[in-house]
Amino acid sequence: MDTAILPSTLLLTFLLSVGLFFFVRASTKDRTEVAQLVSEQDEATFMSQLREYFRARSYRVAAVDPEQNQVMFEGNVRPSWFLAVFLTTLSATGILCLSLVLSQLFPNLSSFFIGMVLLSPLSGIFYWKKAGKLEKVSLKVEQTQSESPSSSRITVTAHRDELIELKRVLKLKSGE
């Protein structure tokens, strides 16, 4: 057997393990974005649609600032069972691969290395504890300077996935 194969395999497996660690950590990263969205409806109709949309998504009005023409919504975001199981499975696979390579290098510790797979549920627990949080959405209604008097423009600060869903459901266009 070539003596360079095992150390290089260990190095590549270790680098993949580091990538896996950062992937698990990034699963709970805050992905808040600001977007300007335009609706073809007048402000009153559009605001009632927004209220209904956020009520249906279990958000509640947390604050209203009439001077700034701004509304703040809050809602609890639940973690995803699928993602928790997926991260646990991914971690188990990654730890198993690293354990097999380490077992080849240190055969007398192979049962210890294989036992490290039992640590994989920690990634799902980490995700579950960090992902469930209070999400805030800020809406600021702005006056439009367009030819159409019935259009409305809002600036939304929210999670990236919430912005995508808001645009899809209410058929909004980006107003950048």
Side-chain angles (χ1 to χ4, degrees), residues 46-62:
F46 183 49
M47 286 307 287
S48 68
Q49 276 189 334
L50 285 171
R51 261 193 310 277
E52 180 57 30
Y53 169 82
F54 284 111
R55 186 198 60 74
R57 305 247 323 149
S58 298
Y59 282 87
R60 65 176 182 79
V61 176

Side-chain angles (χ1 to χ4, degrees), residues 12-22 94-95 97-98:
L12 290 174
T13 307
F14 177 73
L15 290 174
L16 288 171
S17 298
V18 170
L20 175 62
F21 170 77
F22 284 107
I95 292 172
C97 291
L98 182 62

